[in-house]
Amino acid sequence: MSSRRFAAVPDWARTGFLCGLLVFGSAEGAAAGVVAQIDQSRQRMRVFVDGIAAYDWPVSTARSGYYTPNGRYRVGLMAPMWRSHKYHGSPMPHAMFFRGGYAIHGTYATGSLGRRASHGCIRLAPGHAAALFGLARSRGGAAVVIRN
């Protein structure tokens, strides 16, 4: 599993030390701090912190028959561990919801990263999800930008 790191990020942010269940207010505050850009055609996420590229990670978005929405969103509900209400209680570590039931979250099916495999959520390796979660938590939220 490849992970490219571009900028210095504190250890506590990479480990997801700061966890909690919270709702963030405005997208304006998030846009200036942490932005997760998902490119569905490449199955990659680039994370920007204060406009500087910090990470480039493989993801899995919706497989055939499912849908990952394109657009710009703000992270709302965040949970260190969430269980899917729709898909048999499947674990969703470091879940960051951005549009209804759609979330960025960790997955234990890391062999599928880099190709379409989800029911619509954006899946990351558990450590990458923890790092993003910690960054968003420490910076007052995050923006999510998804494109084909």
Side-chain angles (χ1 to χ4, degrees), residues 24 34 75 78 96 131-142:
F24 293 113
V34 178
V75 170
M78 293 180 63
M96 301 170 56
L132 182 61
F133 189 95
L135 279 170
R137 170 69 171 91
S138 71
R139 307 289 254 155

Side-chain angles (χ1 to χ4, degrees), residues 53-104:
Y55 296 102
D56 183 358
W57 295 321
V59 298
S60 288
T61 61
R63 67 181 183 240
S64 181
Y66 294 91
Y67 172 75
T68 298
N70 289 317
R72 182 176 176 86
Y73 308 94
R74 68 174 178 84
V75 170
L77 178 69
M78 293 180 63
M81 177 53 82
W82 190 265
R83 297 266 176 193
S84 172
H85 298 277
K86 190 172 183 177
Y87 296 106
H88 316 291
S90 296
M92 299 167 62
H94 295 100
M96 301 170 56
F97 289 88
F98 60 87
R99 181 182 166 199
Y102 291 98
I104 297 171

